[in-house]
């Protein structure tokens, strides 16, 4: 037993049980009645290194123990707990009404959002997914999980696996080498838009202290028609994507006609600090979130811990996550938490009303009357993200080696039997159109190098080489911002901006943000780099569900020659045989990119 938190009443009491490196932290939690002046330990600062042996508590969040801390570079080291956490997921087709409007959904274990996967840093996670849908394949992608040497567990149909057929199941087993917040979702066409998604919380150290972990807070746009129907519309009708009917915060919202549904509510206690794990699980909308009267202190972006910084509002692009700390330092009352849709990157019919409630213990049970911060309406990604673990990127080879990936929309020829003019989004002039029957890892296990053109395969042959990519958003049918997401890696975000990319000197090489999603501005550019240190087949795509369905993706085949040295592809063919058998008589056929 380390110590009993409640027995601590002064910062002095800490000194003898925590290491010298962290004694500067003051307790934010105490058993004594909390006066408003007793709040607020200073945020962790970059100059103070967590001691590797101290334990993780409310006021020593930088610590973890066993030689690990917030200062550990998780790309190269993680605890080996030897522990495995097990989950059983069943995907079903069901009717639900998250905002009071009943519609068909597809969900995990009968709930939306699906169950949260909890693990500790260094645990093995083992999740058996059973497909109990009648008429769709499925598969679960563990967004942001690096899958170091375990590409077969990435859950990306057409790339790393065949879909799981109705009645079938697959066990995904992988190591939690990172910690923080993420989510899982189906990658079977637009199926995640029907509800096949849920949070992932991996406990680990943090760059700033808090008392209570409120858990995951998924924010999403919400549609009253099904995602498959909307996706079909988007494919066959040139123009902006369908307009969302509402938004959901942690799976719920008051109905747009004023009836049905409810506001999600969190109860907080004055004087305490709360960690909130924000996840944008949208199909199309990006949000700026804020809590009336309160700051949000960002401590982590995607899986990457950042030096804490404070903001009134935070932009969350699709697929992006921010872990924030809320200091309950205001008057005992009720406050609106707002998710405002940024109209320059998506439209929502209920914008301005997508809210949840933070209620101080002791406040009346009425709805808040709080006023909003001034919320800017733009589509600009968060700035000022400084990774806690410093990594500088060598720039010497950039000028010679960067490769361009142009992004553009056009009306293409008939694809997948849809006939007429089909809207396509291309990367390097080609819309991806993967084969569920022949995922890339099936080519690898069968030693077949004749990848089909529409697979948009880019080979990364050289071990540990730093590869650079410059995305350019070119004028075409439409110019909109795109949240670009890479599987299997955190990338270095070296630069992004409006207009053409002309000035390599303006890129950031000193400790640039690292993450797995970043915004490509409309008509602008995005520059990223990553090292080929994880053999496998990794999708890189726009996370707007309609755009990836329309082709906006490439895949990296990283060190093909090494893949079978670091993992077994033994199940790939047998899983695919099960899919092939179903596919022969399937009622529905693939009508988009399949992703
Ligand atoms: C879900 O159920 C509906 C109505 O019962 C059916 O039309 C549809 O095909 C089912 N979808 C899947 C994927 O099983
Ligand atoms: C998945 O099921 C939905 C109906 O629930 C259907 O509209 C869609 O075409 C199906 N897609 C595939 C590829 O099975
Ligand atoms: C969201 O809902 C889930 C399930 O009801 C709950 O466990 C979780 O704590 C909620 N998240 C927040 C931030 O309230
Ligand atoms: C989610 O991301 C999408 C796409 O970037 C964006 O339009 C939407 O506003 C984001 N939602 C939140 C809550 O940030
Ligand atoms: C928010 O942060 C700013 C800058 O750090 C600070 O001046 C302000 O007092 C904070 N407001 C609240 C409500 O904590
Ligand atoms: C883009 O496509 C062209 C033509 O197929 C190809 O030669 C080039 O290598 C591709 N670019 C990248 C970055 O793969
Ligand atoms: Cu896009």
């Amino acid at each position: 037993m380390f110590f009993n938190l409640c027995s601590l009443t002064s910062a002095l009491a800490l000194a003898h049980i925590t290491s010298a490196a962290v004694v500067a932290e003051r307790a934010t939690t105490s058993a004594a009645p909390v006066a408003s002046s007793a709040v607020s330990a200073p945020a962790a600062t970059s100059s103070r290194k967590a001691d590797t042996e101290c334990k993780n508590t409310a006021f020593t969040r930088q610590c973890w123990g066993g030689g690990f801390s917030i200062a550990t570079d998780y790309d190269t080291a993680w605890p080996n707990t030897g522990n495995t956490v097990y989950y059983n997921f069943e995907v079903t087709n069901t009717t639900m009404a998250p905002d009071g409007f009943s519609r068909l959904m597809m969900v995990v274990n009968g709930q939306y959002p699906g169950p949260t996967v909890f693990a500790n840093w260094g645990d093995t996670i083992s999740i058996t997914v059973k497909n109990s849908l009648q008429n769709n394949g499925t598969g679960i992608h563990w967004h942001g999980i690096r899958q170091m040497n375990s590409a077969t567990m990435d859950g990306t149909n057409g790339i790393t696996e065949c879909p799981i057929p109705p009645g079938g199941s697959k066990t995904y087993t992988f190591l939690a080498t990172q910690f923080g917040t993420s989510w899982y979702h189906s990658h079977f066409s637009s199926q995640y838009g029907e509800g096949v998604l849920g949070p992932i919380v991996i406990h680990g150290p943090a760059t700033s202290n808090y008392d209570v972990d409120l858990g995951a807070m998924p924010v999403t746009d919400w549609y009253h028609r099904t995602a498959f129907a909307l996706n079909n519309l988007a494919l066959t009708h040139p123009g902006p994507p369908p307009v969302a009917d509402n938004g959901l915060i942690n799976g719920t919202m008051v109905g747009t006609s004023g009836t049905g549904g409810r506001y999600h509510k969190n109860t907080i206690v004055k004087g305490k600090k709360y960690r909130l794990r924000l996840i944008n699980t949208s199909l199309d909308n990006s949000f700026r979130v804020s809590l009336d009267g309160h700051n949000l202190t960002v401590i982590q972006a995607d899986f990457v811990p950042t030096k804490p910084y404070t903001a009134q509002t935070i932009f969350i692009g699709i697929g992006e996550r921010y872990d924030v700390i809320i200091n309950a330092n205001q008057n005992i009352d009720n406050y609106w938490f707002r998710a405002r849709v940024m109209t320059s990157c998506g439209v929502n019919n209920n914008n301005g009303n997508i809210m949840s409630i933070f209620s101080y213990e002791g406040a009346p049970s009425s709805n808040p009357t709080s006023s909003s911060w001034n919320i800017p309406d733009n589509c600009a990604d968060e700035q000022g993200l400084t990774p806690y673990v410093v990594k500088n990127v060598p720039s010497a080879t950039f000028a010679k080696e960067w490769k361009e990936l142009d992004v553009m929309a056009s009306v293409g020829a008939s694809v997948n039997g849809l006939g007429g003019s089909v809207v396509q989004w291309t990367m390097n002039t080609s819309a991806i159109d993967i084969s569920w029957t022949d995922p890339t890892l099936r080519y690898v296990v069968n030693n077949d190098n004749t990848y089909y053109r529409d697979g948009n395969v880019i080979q990364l042959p050289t071990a540990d080489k730093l590869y650079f990519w410059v995305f350019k958003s070119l004028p075409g049918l439409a110019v909109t911002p795109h949240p670009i997401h890479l599987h299997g890696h955190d990338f270095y975000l070296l630069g992004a901006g409006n207009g053409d990319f002309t000035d390599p000197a303006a890129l950031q090489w000193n400790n640039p943000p690292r993450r797995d999603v970043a915004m490509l501005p409309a008509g602008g550019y995005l520059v990223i780099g990553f090292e080929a240190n994880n053999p496998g087949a990794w999708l890189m795509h726009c996370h707007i569900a309609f755009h990836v369905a329309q082709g906006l993706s490439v895949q990296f085949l990283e060190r093909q020659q090494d893949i079978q040295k670091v993992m077994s592809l033994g199940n790939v063919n047998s899983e695919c045989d099960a899919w092939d058998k179903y596919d022969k008589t399937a009622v529905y056929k693939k009508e988009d990119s399949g992703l």
Side-chain angles (χ1 to χ4, degrees):
M1 178 61 199
F2 179 53
F3 66 80
N4 180 352
L5 239 185
C6 299
S7 70
L8 295 172
T9 50
S10 76
L12 199 65
L14 289 176
H16 68 281
I17 49 169
T18 59
S19 66
V22 292
V23 291
E25 303 276 3
R26 280 177 51 213
T28 58
T29 305
S30 84
V34 183
S36 55
S37 62
V39 298
S40 285
T45 64
S46 56
S47 59
R48 186 165 63 238
K49 280 224 165 55
D51 182 281
T52 50
E53 289 309 322
C54 66
K55 296 281 191 295
N56 185 272
T57 73
F59 33 87
T60 56
R61 294 290 181 192
Q62 296 199 344
C63 304
W64 191 244
F68 298 91
S69 77
I70 194 69
T72 306
D73 174 10
Y74 67 56
D75 278 340
T76 52
W78 50 84
N80 181 3
T81 65
N83 185 44
T84 302
V85 294
Y86 295 94
Y87 285 87
N88 283 304
F89 280 8
E90 185 180 17
V91 182
T92 59
N93 190 9
T94 180
T95 299
M96 292 178 83
D99 67 345
F101 183 93
S102 283
R103 49 157 287 188
L104 268 182
M105 290 180 67
M106 299 181 204
V107 297
V108 176
N109 294 1
Q111 64 190 84
Y112 177 80
T116 300
V117 171
F118 290 103
N120 283 328
W121 188 21
D123 283 352
T124 296
I125 300 176
S126 175
I127 304 173
T128 300
V129 177
K130 177 168 201 294
N131 182 1
S132 293
L133 301 168
Q134 305 90 314
N135 296 312
N136 267 186
T138 196
I140 304 285
H141 167 61
W142 318 94
H143 184 107
I145 299 273
R146 284 214 52 199
Q147 301 292 2
M148 191 62 111
N149 298 334
S150 55
T152 51
M153 300 297 160
D154 195 46
T156 313
N157 47 216
I159 311 290
T160 61
E161 67 180 19
C162 283
I164 306 168
S169 49
K170 168 167 177 161
T171 299
Y172 296 89
T173 306
F174 51 89
L175 197 59
T177 60
Q178 305 136 291
F179 53 87
T181 307
S182 197
W183 58 307
Y184 58 82
H185 62 83
S186 165
H187 235 302
F188 185 82
S189 290
S190 45
Q191 195 179 67
Y192 89 78
E194 315 291 24
V196 184
L197 60 87
I200 301 176
V201 171
I202 302 172
H203 297 295
T207 57
S208 192
N209 292 333
Y210 55 90
D211 299 296
V212 181
D213 188 345
L214 290 173
M217 184 90 133
V219 181
T220 185
D221 46 16
W222 188 242
Y223 302 79
H224 290 162
R225 286 173 290 177
T226 67
F228 278 102
L230 292 170
N231 190 43
N232 181 283
L233 268 180
L235 278 170
T236 51
H237 294 76
V243 174
D245 296 299
N246 204 346
L248 304 177
I249 297 182
N250 207 12
T252 179
M253 186 53 58
V254 169
T256 42
S257 58
T259 55
R262 60 182 180 85
Y263 292 115
H264 175 69
K265 187 169 175 174
N266 287 103
T267 303
I268 56 179
V269 173
K270 187 172 169 90
K272 293 209 184 264
K273 284 184 172 178
Y274 293 86
R275 177 180 185 155
L276 188 63
R277 300 163 179 272
L278 295 162
I279 314 171
N280 181 350
T281 65
S282 277
L283 297 191
D284 182 49
N285 286 176
S286 288
F287 296 89
R288 197 168 270 285
V289 299
S290 59
L291 175 60
D292 292 355
H294 296 75
N295 288 331
L296 303 174
T297 299
V298 176
I299 58 167
Q300 196 155 3
D302 299 346
F303 270 133
V304 180
T306 55
K307 293 190 180 143
Y309 74 93
T310 294
Q312 289 179 343
T313 72
I314 297 172
F315 176 88
I316 318 183
I318 299 172
E320 292 182 344
R321 292 93 66 201
Y322 289 97
D323 284 47
V324 301
I325 290 172
I326 294 168
N327 190 354
N329 62 1
Q330 295 299 296
N331 294 333
I332 291 181
D333 206 340
N334 301 307
Y335 297 87
W336 288 120
F337 177 85
R338 300 171 195 268
R340 186 70 57 83
V341 176
M342 298 293 98
T343 54
S344 45
C345 45
V347 187
N348 188 304
N349 278 335
N350 200 29
N351 197 12
N353 302 315
I354 302 167
M355 300 185 289
S356 75
I357 299 171
F358 277 78
S359 176
Y360 279 68
E361 206 174 272
S365 64
S366 51
N367 279 348
T369 53
S370 58
S371 28
S372 171
W373 294 119
N374 172 30
I375 303 174
D377 187 353
N378 60 39
C379 210
D381 228 341
E382 279 300 299
Q383 303 292 309
L385 297 174
T386 308
Y388 187 87
V389 174
V390 174
K391 290 193 188 185
N392 299 327
V393 184
S395 60
T397 57
F398 179 82
K400 247 190 356 241
E401 296 202 336
W402 64 275
K403 293 264 178 12
E404 182 165 333
L405 290 170
D406 291 340
V407 167
M408 209 174 113
S410 59
V411 177
S414 168
V415 283
N416 292 322
L418 279 178
S421 47
V422 168
V423 182
Q424 292 193 311
W425 276 98
T426 56
M427 217 179 249
N428 194 26
T429 71
S430 171
I432 204 170
D433 183 10
I434 53 88
S435 161
W436 281 335
T437 314
D438 287 308
T440 308
L441 291 185
R442 196 178 202 184
Y443 280 83
V444 174
V445 70
N446 296 337
N447 294 314
D448 180 349
N449 284 323
T450 61
Y451 302 105
Y452 52 103
R453 176 70 188 96
D454 294 345
N456 284 5
V457 173
I458 298 178
Q459 299 261 5
L460 307 181
T462 311
D464 300 320
K465 179 181 160 130
L466 180 56
Y467 286 92
F468 297 109
W469 310 98
V470 177
F471 298 87
K472 293 188 180 180
S473 160
L474 302 187
L477 191 67
V479 177
T480 64
H482 305 282
I484 301 290
H485 171 52
L486 174 64
H487 293 200
H489 294 271
D490 295 327
F491 52 71
Y492 301 107
L493 172 51
L494 300 170
N498 298 319
D500 197 8
F501 171 64
T502 51
D503 186 12
L507 297 176
Q508 183 183 349
W509 302 99
N510 288 331
N511 199 23
R514 300 190 296 275
R515 54 188 320 173
D516 54 58
V517 186
M519 296 298 289
L520 166 62
Y525 65 88
L526 170 70
V527 184
I528 68 167
F530 64 89
E531 292 106 352
N533 55 12
N534 193 9
W538 306 113
L539 194 66
M540 183 168 70
H541 64 99
C542 171
H543 220 297
I544 293 179
F546 306 119
H547 290 178
V548 64
Q550 292 161 336
L552 197 46
S553 177
V554 293
Q555 58 175 310
F556 293 114
L557 183 53
E558 183 171 334
R559 297 162 58 183
Q560 178 179 355
Q561 69 285 1
D562 293 336
I563 293 176
Q564 289 181 88
K565 292 181 196 152
V566 298
M567 78 194 80
S568 161
L569 298 183
N571 291 332
V572 172
N573 274 316
S574 57
E575 287 173 7
C576 285
D577 290 345
W579 172 257
D580 291 347
K581 190 157 166 264
Y582 161 77
D583 193 40
K584 284 202 177 65
T585 57
V587 177
Y588 298 114
K589 298 293 176 196
K590 171 171 162 300
E591 55 177 30
D592 58 16
S593 72
L595 295 162

